[in-house]
Amino acid sequence: MPKALVYALALAITGSFSVPAQEQNSPRKRLKIGVALSGGSALGLAHIGVLKWFEEHRIPIDYIAGTSMGSLVGGLYATGHESKEIEEFVSTIDWKGVLTPGVAFRQMAYRRKEDAREFPSTIEFGLKNGLKLPTGLSAGHQVGLVISRFAAQYNELKGFDDLPTPFRCVATDLNKGQEVVFSNGPLVEAMRSSMSLPAFFAPVKKDGMLLVDGGVLNNIPVDVVRAMGADVVIAVALEKPPEESKYTSMLGVAGRSISVMITANERISLGKADLIIMPDLKGLGGADYLRWQEFVERGIGGAQAKSAMLERFAVSEQEYGEILRARKAKRRPETVKPEVIEVKGDMAPNRKAALIASLGADPKDPLPKEAIENELTKVTGMGRYDSALYSYIQRDGKEGIQVIPHEKEHGPPFMKLGILLDASRQEGFRFGIGARFTFLDLGGPASEWRTEMSIGQINRIGSEYYYRIKGGKWFVAPRMYYWEDSHPYYVGDEQVSDYKTSKAGGAVDLGYAFGRFQELRLGYSLNHEKVAVTSGQAAFGQISGRSSDVHLQWAYEGQDSPLVPRHGVRVTTAGSWLMDYPGVNKGVPLGEATFSYARPFNKKYSMIADLAGGATAAEESLHVRFSMGGVGRLDALGRGRLYGDKYYYGGMHVLRALASDSLSTFGRFYLFAAGESGNAWYPGRSAKPRYSGSMGLMGETMLGVVYFGGGIGDQGDMRFFFRLGRVF
């Protein structure tokens, strides 16, 4: 019989049987209570409600331990936070950002944004020592930052017994197949290890161990709490009733299989507990982070169901107040003055200096954690590092920050794949696949060599060396390329032929990198261009010969997604002077600009508005320079249906999110309704606007955008379309 049950039986009978006067007058020693919090993704938010009920009923917690999500809630409590503070903390977490693989688009360096837009697959291969994938869908950078918000100031403790409440967290070492219980060391690193959900979050490497989620071997650490010295161990289990209808897919079956294995080790642990609290979580799932308030209420209900047994451990208001004061006295300041800044690991000297300068801007004033997180996320947005943790330090009586950036293990160099699948009832099926290879810091910090190739719908190969002069903002970028693309050619409403455009040549640009959002380029290009009919009626003669231009380009990338933005503005402008061009015997200007604006109306509805236009000289060989029609450019019309030396376009998509409060790793989808107007023309053809209305499904996936629906035009045109891969 567990020792705590003996204590409980003794407590139960003290009210019915008299005891000697000497024992009545002697103070009864309070039982030491320990709580074991289980893992369970979003289900672990129910732990907050259990802790809240304990506080309201003055039940002290002397020891606490957790696994995975239980370690997050347990760590918050152990660092001195009361349940109300934990609720406030959880309410501020951007769960979508935390669980989204990779770095948020807005936080990426400008060139990484170009990669995400042109090769939108979130899967990044590394070419260091062979072709490799990352060890997890997410490096866990945002999870680490969430932990650092409340644990950074406790990273240099001698042991976790020195926290306001003694604490342990559990991880699993994959190398030895053993459970690892953290009782000391950097608190942030220990908790991050405990939360490394296999395949989703990358494992943590430490002292020869490869650490993943502790739930693999010990999801409810009852034995750990007992070993800490608890007389009574209360286990909080998070078992959700199985729903057979959800186990009909591959992912559903795999997820349930893992759950069954974890449940098996949980039952062994629960058999060692003195009391079990099991909240009713029916109707809630492991991805329902946004429903945290419901989880809290379920946790309160779970504790209330065991109130008859729990209230035996309640203490007086005076004693509970003393316990709270003792916890509060051990809390450490949540801000730091950046008098000392350390950066561990390898980092280019100028990057390190820039990071230190940004964090230590004013060592006299406390540095907000939001500012630290912003700077560290910029570090990960450069592409070389996949995460960066931080903690507070003391050096020779001065306080400061230690930053630990973690370099990606699978690269550089890196390879990103891209696919483009286009299909419509009128034009059939088109497919393309490509890859971009990037060598970072080649020839100096922030300099890189980028090569890409694709085959299928668009055939191309190109390579650019991007050199940042002295590692500063100015750059030189020489490049060479070849590309070809095929287009339908229409006479009126009828497609009469197909033609192919191709370009081979090179260019060199001098530019200025403003930062994550803007880039300016001035350059010269020299090419051989060819436009020729490849099948059907010979609607025009072949255009072939040398072309050269001087060009100026500026772009602002301020949206929150390269695929389906909900916030922000994107602007591109390009102007050039064509010094020579096949069939043109004089210099002519060419200009084009695009504008995109996205904004949400509420959680469900948002809009994307687009404007674009371009113009060049009215020369016959430039009559197919611009085209309109196809996905995102008058949906109802066939691809390239309208063409000319001038064009304009305006369109608006209204989106309704289909996602529930559950967060999906695999994408976010919307129903859309769109209205569009525009035209492309050359002399002799009408410039009057054409109109298109469309409806369908739009979404973000790990492979790129999904755009599926149907459109109706102002002249009776109808088209059903599907696209997967690149944006419009």
Side-chain angles (χ1 to χ4, degrees):
M1 179 180 293
K3 180 171 66 172
L5 287 182
V6 177
Y7 282 120
L9 288 172
L11 284 172
I13 63 175
T14 52
S16 303
F17 297 92
S18 61
V19 296
Q22 184 178 355
E23 292 187 28
Q24 284 184 337
N25 295 331
S26 62
R28 174 173 57 84
K29 182 181 178 182
R30 183 175 68 82
L31 299 177
K32 296 293 185 180
I33 299 171
V35 176
L37 303 180
S38 70
S41 300
L43 306 180
L45 296 170
H47 294 316
I48 303 171
V50 174
L51 298 178
K52 185 174 185 177
W53 192 93
F54 275 43
E55 287 180 0
E56 293 172 349
H57 293 79
R58 301 191 308 277
I59 297 174
I61 298 175
D62 301 285
Y63 309 100
I64 193 165
T67 297
S68 193
M69 196 64 180
S71 76
L72 179 69
V73 177
L76 276 160
Y77 185 85
T79 50
H81 294 81
E82 298 178 3
S83 61
K84 183 178 180 181
E85 294 175 293
I86 298 175
E87 287 185 85
E88 291 173 354
F89 182 89
V90 168
S91 71
T92 64
I93 296 175
D94 174 15
W95 290 106
K96 183 177 184 295
V98 168
L99 298 172
T100 299
V103 181
F105 183 70
R106 282 186 60 84
Q107 296 286 6
M108 292 180 180
Y110 184 83
R111 287 179 69 82
R112 302 292 75 80
K113 289 180 179 179
E114 288 182 324
D115 293 340
R117 185 171 291 279
E118 296 170 26
F119 291 81
S121 169
T122 59
I123 301 172
E124 178 186 74
F125 292 87
L127 301 175
K128 183 189 290 185
N129 301 320
L131 186 66
K132 295 180 180 178
L133 279 169
T135 52
L137 287 174
S138 171
H141 170 69
Q142 292 294 335
V143 173
L145 293 184
V146 168
I147 297 170
S148 292
R149 286 176 203 167
F150 66 87
Q153 57 267 42
Y154 299 98
N155 247 29
E156 293 194 321
L157 291 175
K158 291 182 179 179
F160 298 168
D161 287 341
D162 295 332
L163 288 165
T165 297
F167 173 67
R168 301 287 187 272
C169 61
V170 180
T172 302
D173 177 16
L174 291 182
N175 288 335
K176 294 184 178 179
Q178 295 178 352
E179 174 186 343
V180 178
V181 179
F182 285 98
S183 60
N184 55 43
L187 180 59
V188 174
E189 187 179 57
M191 295 177 63
R192 168 66 183 83
S193 301
S194 181
M195 298 184 69
S196 296
L197 188 65
F200 187 84
F201 291 123
V204 174
K205 287 189 174 182
K206 177 180 174 62
D207 301 332
M209 297 182 291
L210 189 63
L211 300 167
V212 298
D213 196 304
V216 173
L217 292 178
N218 191 356
N219 201 44
I220 308 180
V222 172
D223 55 341
V224 174
V225 177
R226 182 83 68 194
M228 294 173 73
D231 298 316
V232 177
V233 179
I234 301 171
V236 185
L238 303 171
E239 186 168 357
K240 185 177 173 239
E243 299 177 50
E244 184 178 345
S245 61
K246 291 191 175 183
Y247 309 134
T248 56
S249 68
M250 178 179 66
L251 292 175
V253 171
R256 180 58 182 165
S257 299
I258 294 172
S259 177
V260 168
M261 289 187 291
I262 291 176
T263 301
N265 75 55
E266 283 184 344
R267 287 172 180 163
I268 297 173
S269 295
L270 292 175
K272 301 174 183 178
D274 301 307
L275 183 60
I276 300 170
I277 298 174
M278 189 176 291
D280 178 7
L281 300 176
K282 187 176 181 180
L284 295 171
D288 292 334
Y289 292 92
L290 302 181
R291 300 170 67 180
W292 63 270
Q293 291 169 309
E294 293 180 55
F295 281 111
V296 172
E297 292 302 318
R298 300 290 184 93
I300 292 172
Q304 180 62 35
K306 296 294 179 73
S307 60
M309 299 186 70
L310 288 171
E311 287 176 350
R312 299 177 185 276
F313 305 117
V315 298
S316 67
E317 289 187 14
Q318 179 180 353
E319 186 175 358
Y320 194 69
E322 292 173 357
I323 292 170
L324 293 182
R325 284 189 288 273
R327 268 171 44 87
K328 188 174 181 179
K330 289 188 174 183
R331 289 186 66 166
R332 294 191 171 188
E334 297 188 357
T335 58
V336 64
K337 294 179 181 178
E339 298 173 290
V340 179
I341 299 174
E342 294 180 356
V343 180
K344 294 186 68 175
D346 293 330
M347 182 177 281
N350 63 337
R351 282 184 175 172
K352 182 183 290 188
L355 178 59
I356 291 174
S358 62
L359 293 175
D362 191 347
K364 295 181 181 179
D365 294 328
L367 183 63
K369 291 184 178 180
E370 294 82 0
I372 302 174
E373 292 182 15
N374 186 52
E375 293 301 325
L376 297 191
T377 302
K378 288 181 185 178
V379 170
T380 63
M382 293 186 291
R384 176 174 287 275
Y385 304 94
D386 57 12
S387 64
L389 300 177
Y390 71 93
S391 61
Y392 295 170
I393 57 175
Q394 292 282 339
R395 299 289 185 266
D396 300 323
K398 295 182 178 180
E399 60 185 66
I401 305 165
Q402 182 183 79
V403 175
I404 310 172
H406 182 265
E407 191 169 349
K408 294 178 180 178
E409 296 181 3
H410 59 293
F414 300 106
M415 180 180 75
K416 289 203 72 174
L417 293 178
I419 68 168
L420 181 57
L421 191 158
D422 238 341
S424 70
R425 181 173 59 84
Q426 294 84 351
E427 299 164 34
F429 178 87
R430 302 195 311 151
F431 177 77
I433 186 169
R436 172 171 283 177
F437 304 87
T438 305
F439 295 77
L440 296 178
D441 301 322
L442 192 67
S447 298
E448 60 186 55
W449 178 27
R450 200 164 68 179
T451 299
E452 60 196 46
M453 59 186 67
S454 64
I455 188 170
Q457 182 169 326
I458 300 175
N459 298 311
R460 64 176 175 174
I461 183 169
S463 188
E464 178 187 72
Y465 179 61
Y466 175 87
Y467 177 69
R468 293 282 281 267
I469 302 171
K470 296 182 179 180
K473 297 286 189 178
W474 290 96
F475 65 86
V476 176
R479 63 187 184 275
M480 299 184 69
Y481 43 81
Y482 171 80
W483 65 262
E484 62 180 34
D485 192 9
S486 62
H487 310 267
Y489 189 86
Y490 290 84
V491 174
D493 296 338
E494 182 182 358
Q495 180 182 343
V496 298
S497 59
D498 288 297
Y499 69 96
K500 181 175 71 176
T501 62
S502 63
K503 178 187 287 189
V508 61
D509 292 341
L510 172 67
Y512 189 81
F514 292 91
R516 291 174 292 155
F517 301 104
Q518 300 181 63
E519 183 184 84
L520 178 68
R521 288 180 176 235
L522 172 66
Y524 169 80
S525 65
L526 177 63
N527 313 289
H528 182 276
E529 298 200 32
K530 183 178 179 180
V531 182
V533 174
T534 56
S535 65
Q537 176 183 327
F540 57 85
Q542 178 174 295
I543 302 167
S544 179
R546 164 187 160 134
S547 71
S548 63
D549 69 65
V550 176
H551 52 262
L552 179 66
Q553 301 171 347
W554 173 77
Y556 175 80
E557 187 68 84
Q559 293 184 327
D560 63 346
S561 170
L563 302 178
V564 186
R566 283 176 57 84
H567 297 270
V569 171
R570 180 174 187 256
V571 182
T572 67
T573 60
S576 61
W577 182 261
L578 301 179
M579 292 184 289
D580 55 358
Y581 190 83
V584 180
N585 57 11
K586 62 180 180 179
V588 297
L590 186 150
E592 185 175 15
T594 68
F595 173 84
S596 177
Y597 172 70
R599 61 157 292 181
F601 299 120
N602 51 45
K603 288 184 178 181
K604 289 287 186 182
Y605 290 91
S606 60
M607 60 156 277
I608 304 172
D610 294 287
L611 298 172
T616 186
E619 298 284 342
E620 184 175 354
S621 61
L622 294 172
H623 285 180
V624 293
R625 188 72 185 194
F626 304 111
S627 65
M628 291 287 295
V631 171
R633 284 294 183 266
L634 299 179
D635 286 337
L637 274 63
R639 180 176 57 93
R641 170 77 170 275
L642 308 174
Y643 47 87
D645 50 53
K646 298 176 179 62
Y647 88 98
Y648 61 87
Y649 170 81
M652 178 180 291
H653 288 71
V654 176
L655 286 70
R656 184 192 186 281
L658 294 179
S660 65
D661 287 339
S662 297
L663 300 179
S664 173
T665 306
F666 301 99
R668 187 166 184 174
F669 294 87
Y670 307 83
L671 293 175
F672 77 85
E676 302 171 284
S677 176
N679 202 349
W681 75 98
Y682 55 84
R685 300 188 70 173
S686 173
K688 290 183 179 180
R690 298 289 303 273
Y691 299 95
S692 171
S694 57
M695 298 179 65
L697 178 73
M698 184 189 301
E700 296 178 287
T701 74
M702 297 176 68
L703 297 177
V705 71
V706 167
Y707 193 71
F708 171 71
I712 300 176
D714 60 322
Q715 296 183 12
D717 302 281
M718 296 182 64
R719 197 171 78 101
F720 292 95
F721 49 82
F722 173 80
R723 172 170 286 190
L724 172 65
R726 292 185 60 174
V727 291
F728 310 142

PDB file of all heavy atoms in Angstrom, residues 516-527:
ATOM      1  N   ARG A 516      15.163  43.763 -44.289  1.00  0.00           N
ATOM      2  CA  ARG A 516      14.276  42.635 -44.567  1.00  0.00           C
ATOM      3  C   ARG A 516      13.179  42.958 -45.566  1.00  0.00           C
ATOM      4  O   ARG A 516      12.565  42.050 -46.126  1.00  0.00           O
ATOM      5  CB  ARG A 516      13.631  42.149 -43.272  1.00  0.00           C
ATOM      6  CG  ARG A 516      14.585  41.473 -42.301  1.00  0.00           C
ATOM      7  CD  ARG A 516      13.885  41.161 -40.999  1.00  0.00           C
ATOM      8  NE  ARG A 516      13.539  42.371 -40.276  1.00  0.00           N
ATOM      9  CZ  ARG A 516      12.551  42.473 -39.396  1.00  0.00           C
ATOM     10  NH1 ARG A 516      11.766  41.441 -39.171  1.00  0.00           N
ATOM     11  NH2 ARG A 516      12.318  43.600 -38.761  1.00  0.00           N
ATOM     12  N   PHE A 517      12.909  44.252 -45.812  1.00  0.00           N
ATOM     13  CA  PHE A 517      11.701  44.609 -46.555  1.00  0.00           C
ATOM     14  C   PHE A 517      11.939  45.239 -47.926  1.00  0.00           C
ATOM     15  O   PHE A 517      11.037  45.237 -48.754  1.00  0.00           O
ATOM     16  CB  PHE A 517      10.844  45.553 -45.711  1.00  0.00           C
ATOM     17  CG  PHE A 517      10.419  44.974 -44.395  1.00  0.00           C
ATOM     18  CD1 PHE A 517      11.023  45.356 -43.223  1.00  0.00           C
ATOM     19  CD2 PHE A 517       9.430  44.012 -44.343  1.00  0.00           C
ATOM     20  CE1 PHE A 517      10.646  44.803 -42.004  1.00  0.00           C
ATOM     21  CE2 PHE A 517       9.035  43.449 -43.137  1.00  0.00           C
ATOM     22  CZ  PHE A 517       9.652  43.847 -41.963  1.00  0.00           C
ATOM     23  N   GLN A 518      13.123  45.797 -48.176  1.00  0.00           N
ATOM     24  CA  GLN A 518      13.311  46.532 -49.413  1.00  0.00           C
ATOM     25  C   GLN A 518      14.627  46.175 -50.088  1.00  0.00           C
ATOM     26  O   GLN A 518      15.604  45.840 -49.419  1.00  0.00           O
ATOM     27  CB  GLN A 518      13.318  48.040 -49.157  1.00  0.00           C
ATOM     28  CG  GLN A 518      12.070  48.608 -48.543  1.00  0.00           C
ATOM     29  CD  GLN A 518      12.195  50.107 -48.362  1.00  0.00           C
ATOM     30  OE1 GLN A 518      12.325  50.856 -49.336  1.00  0.00           O
ATOM     31  NE2 GLN A 518      12.189  50.557 -47.124  1.00  0.00           N
ATOM     32  N   GLU A 519      14.627  46.319 -51.425  1.00  0.00           N
ATOM     33  CA  GLU A 519      15.856  46.174 -52.186  1.00  0.00           C
ATOM     34  C   GLU A 519      15.774  47.061 -53.425  1.00  0.00           C
ATOM     35  O   GLU A 519      14.722  47.164 -54.065  1.00  0.00           O
ATOM     36  CB  GLU A 519      16.075  44.720 -52.605  1.00  0.00           C
ATOM     37  CG  GLU A 519      17.388  44.503 -53.343  1.00  0.00           C
ATOM     38  CD  GLU A 519      17.552  43.085 -53.841  1.00  0.00           C
ATOM     39  OE1 GLU A 519      17.030  42.785 -54.937  1.00  0.00           O
ATOM     40  OE2 GLU A 519      18.198  42.280 -53.133  1.00  0.00           O
ATOM     41  N   LEU A 520      16.900  47.698 -53.774  1.00  0.00           N
ATOM     42  CA  LEU A 520      17.003  48.558 -54.953  1.00  0.00           C
ATOM     43  C   LEU A 520      18.135  48.049 -55.824  1.00  0.00           C
ATOM     44  O   LEU A 520      19.221  47.744 -55.324  1.00  0.00           O
ATOM     45  CB  LEU A 520      17.271  50.008 -54.530  1.00  0.00           C
ATOM     46  CG  LEU A 520      17.456  51.027 -55.653  1.00  0.00           C
ATOM     47  CD1 LEU A 520      16.134  51.242 -56.409  1.00  0.00           C
ATOM     48  CD2 LEU A 520      17.981  52.348 -55.100  1.00  0.00           C
ATOM     49  N   ARG A 521      17.897  47.945 -57.142  1.00  0.00           N
ATOM     50  CA  ARG A 521      18.910  47.472 -58.087  1.00  0.00           C
ATOM     51  C   ARG A 521      18.971  48.384 -59.311  1.00  0.00           C
ATOM     52  O   ARG A 521      17.936  48.793 -59.845  1.00  0.00           O
ATOM     53  CB  ARG A 521      18.596  46.052 -58.568  1.00  0.00           C
ATOM     54  CG  ARG A 521      18.820  44.958 -57.549  1.00  0.00           C
ATOM     55  CD  ARG A 521      18.475  43.609 -58.138  1.00  0.00           C
ATOM     56  NE  ARG A 521      18.767  42.527 -57.199  1.00  0.00           N
ATOM     57  CZ  ARG A 521      19.548  41.483 -57.470  1.00  0.00           C
ATOM     58  NH1 ARG A 521      20.127  41.375 -58.659  1.00  0.00           N
ATOM     59  NH2 ARG A 521      19.751  40.548 -56.564  1.00  0.00           N
ATOM     60  N   LEU A 522      20.198  48.638 -59.777  1.00  0.00           N
ATOM     61  CA  LEU A 522      20.456  49.312 -61.036  1.00  0.00           C
ATOM     62  C   LEU A 522      21.419  48.434 -61.807  1.00  0.00           C
ATOM     63  O   LEU A 522      22.469  48.033 -61.270  1.00  0.00           O
ATOM     64  CB  LEU A 522      21.071  50.693 -60.798  1.00  0.00           C
ATOM     65  CG  LEU A 522      21.567  51.438 -62.042  1.00  0.00           C
ATOM     66  CD1 LEU A 522      20.396  51.806 -62.951  1.00  0.00           C
ATOM     67  CD2 LEU A 522      22.358  52.678 -61.645  1.00  0.00           C
ATOM     68  N   GLY A 523      21.084  48.111 -63.070  1.00  0.00           N
ATOM     69  CA  GLY A 523      21.949  47.182 -63.764  1.00  0.00           C
ATOM     70  C   GLY A 523      21.853  47.247 -65.270  1.00  0.00           C
ATOM     71  O   GLY A 523      21.085  48.026 -65.857  1.00  0.00           O
ATOM     72  N   TYR A 524      22.651  46.383 -65.886  1.00  0.00           N
ATOM     73  CA  TYR A 524      22.724  46.267 -67.338  1.00  0.00           C
ATOM     74  C   TYR A 524      22.602  44.792 -67.697  1.00  0.00           C
ATOM     75  O   TYR A 524      23.198  43.922 -67.040  1.00  0.00           O
ATOM     76  CB  TYR A 524      24.055  46.815 -67.854  1.00  0.00           C
ATOM     77  CG  TYR A 524      24.317  46.506 -69.307  1.00  0.00           C
ATOM     78  CD1 TYR A 524      23.719  47.258 -70.311  1.00  0.00           C
ATOM     79  CD2 TYR A 524      25.178  45.463 -69.669  1.00  0.00           C
ATOM     80  CE1 TYR A 524      23.953  46.977 -71.660  1.00  0.00           C
ATOM     81  CE2 TYR A 524      25.417  45.170 -71.008  1.00  0.00           C
ATOM     82  CZ  TYR A 524      24.804  45.927 -71.997  1.00  0.00           C
ATOM     83  OH  TYR A 524      25.041  45.644 -73.319  1.00  0.00           O
ATOM     84  N   SER A 525      21.828  44.490 -68.753  1.00  0.00           N
ATOM     85  CA  SER A 525      21.702  43.110 -69.209  1.00  0.00           C
ATOM     86  C   SER A 525      21.924  43.032 -70.711  1.00  0.00           C
ATOM     87  O   SER A 525      21.615  43.975 -71.462  1.00  0.00           O
ATOM     88  CB  SER A 525      20.331  42.538 -68.846  1.00  0.00           C
ATOM     89  OG  SER A 525      19.304  43.222 -69.535  1.00  0.00           O
ATOM     90  N   LEU A 526      22.449  41.888 -71.128  1.00  0.00           N
ATOM     91  CA  LEU A 526      22.705  41.613 -72.536  1.00  0.00           C
ATOM     92  C   LEU A 526      22.193  40.211 -72.830  1.00  0.00           C
ATOM     93  O   LEU A 526      22.604  39.245 -72.167  1.00  0.00           O
ATOM     94  CB  LEU A 526      24.205  41.706 -72.839  1.00  0.00           C
ATOM     95  CG  LEU A 526      24.638  41.364 -74.267  1.00  0.00           C
ATOM     96  CD1 LEU A 526      24.038  42.347 -75.273  1.00  0.00           C
ATOM     97  CD2 LEU A 526      26.167  41.352 -74.363  1.00  0.00           C
ATOM     98  N   ASN A 527      21.291  40.090 -73.819  1.00  0.00           N
ATOM     99  CA  ASN A 527      20.615  38.815 -74.045  1.00  0.00           C
ATOM    100  C   ASN A 527      20.482  38.512 -75.530  1.00  0.00           C
ATOM    101  O   ASN A 527      20.617  39.396 -76.391  1.00  0.00           O
ATOM    102  CB  ASN A 527      19.198  38.847 -73.455  1.00  0.00           C
ATOM    103  CG  ASN A 527      19.144  39.395 -72.060  1.00  0.00           C
ATOM    104  OD1 ASN A 527      19.594  38.751 -71.137  1.00  0.00           O
ATOM    105  ND2 ASN A 527      18.582  40.600 -71.915  1.00  0.00           N
TER     106      ASN A 527
END
